[in-house]
Amino acid sequence: MPGYYTVVAGTAVSLLSFVGLYMLLNGTGEQFNVGQLLLEISPYAWALTGMGLCIGLSVVGAAWGIFITGSALLGAAVKAPRIQSRNLISIIFCEVVAIYGIIMAIVYSSKLNYVPADAVYTTENIFTGYALFWGGLTVGICNLLCGLAVGVTGSSAALADAQDPQLFVKILVVEIFGSVLGLFGLIVGLLATGKAGDFK
């Protein structure tokens, strides 16, 4: 039996195909123009959506990581109360992921300036809007996955530390490597928007 996501994806593709064929066969196929739709959306909307995704996905990644790490830490602390203080570093690593997203959104917001409505759709502004959207999406997804990676390794660090205190430092090294993934996303986000100018 197909899974839930397979059914949803299949239904969406079937619906889009049906609508596209209906429009094509009724002589209105030129209205089904994705390129025109992408150009008609304001570059400000692309930029602000990218900034929103940057912050939103980063915060979700941090919250998810804190949830995974925190629940394992509290459970393991019942057996070994000594692990509470030093395993809080895993929570800090998760929180740094959200800070990366906020920093990048602030950097992206510096490119936003007031532009009159008749001058918004220039080539430079469209490029800046797309660059901020894809940069924000890249940073957000990297931070989401980074938060999950740090959460799972932080959970493992808490459980291993409860069993054997010598394992904590070894697993902490793995957790640091997982945390660096968010930093890589931040760097890629900066590179993606490096040549995008301010809105003007």
Side-chain angles (χ1 to χ4, degrees):
M1 180 166 171
Y4 172 75
Y5 295 111
T6 305
V7 171
V8 169
T11 304
V13 168
S14 299
L15 184 64
L16 284 174
S17 300
F18 177 75
V19 169
L21 283 173
Y22 176 79
M23 293 176 73
L24 181 66
L25 296 174
N26 282 327
T28 58
E30 69 275 355
Q31 293 177 359
F32 194 70
N33 189 346
V34 178
Q36 183 179 0
L37 175 70
L38 293 177
L39 287 176
E40 287 178 354
I41 296 175
S42 170
Y44 274 108
W46 286 111
L48 294 174
T49 303
M51 290 165 50
L53 287 170
C54 181
I55 291 179
L57 292 175
S58 298
V59 170
V60 167
W64 206 342
I66 290 171
F67 168 71
I68 295 169
T69 301
S71 59
L73 177 60
L74 291 175
V78 172
K79 179 182 183 298
R82 64 179 169 71
I83 71 167
Q84 291 176 6
S85 59
R86 72 177 177 177
N87 276 281
L88 286 178
I89 194 162
S90 301
I91 304 292
I92 294 168
F93 281 154
C94 290
E95 191 59 37
V96 166
V97 170
I99 293 170
Y100 286 159
I102 291 170
I103 289 171
M104 287 306 297
I106 291 170
V107 169
Y108 290 163
S109 69
S110 68
K111 294 187 181 293
L112 296 178
N113 294 319
Y114 172 74
V115 178
D118 57 345
V120 170
Y121 292 95
T122 63
T123 307
E124 293 83 10
N125 288 344
I126 292 173
F127 176 76
T128 299
Y130 286 156
L132 292 179
F133 173 77
W134 288 109
L137 184 64
T138 302
V139 172
I141 289 175
C142 284
N143 286 335
L144 175 66
L145 297 176
C146 174
L148 287 174
V150 171
V152 170
T153 53
S155 167
S156 302
L159 296 174
D161 190 20
Q163 275 305 102
D164 183 4
Q166 295 178 348
L167 293 175
F168 176 72
V169 175
K170 296 174 184 175
I171 296 179
L172 188 64
V173 171
V174 176
E175 191 171 0
I176 290 170
F177 284 129
S179 179
V180 170
L181 294 175
L183 190 59
F184 290 158
L186 188 136
I187 292 168
V188 169
L190 285 173
L191 290 174
T193 60
K195 297 206 175 184
D198 295 352
F199 279 98
K200 55 186 174 183

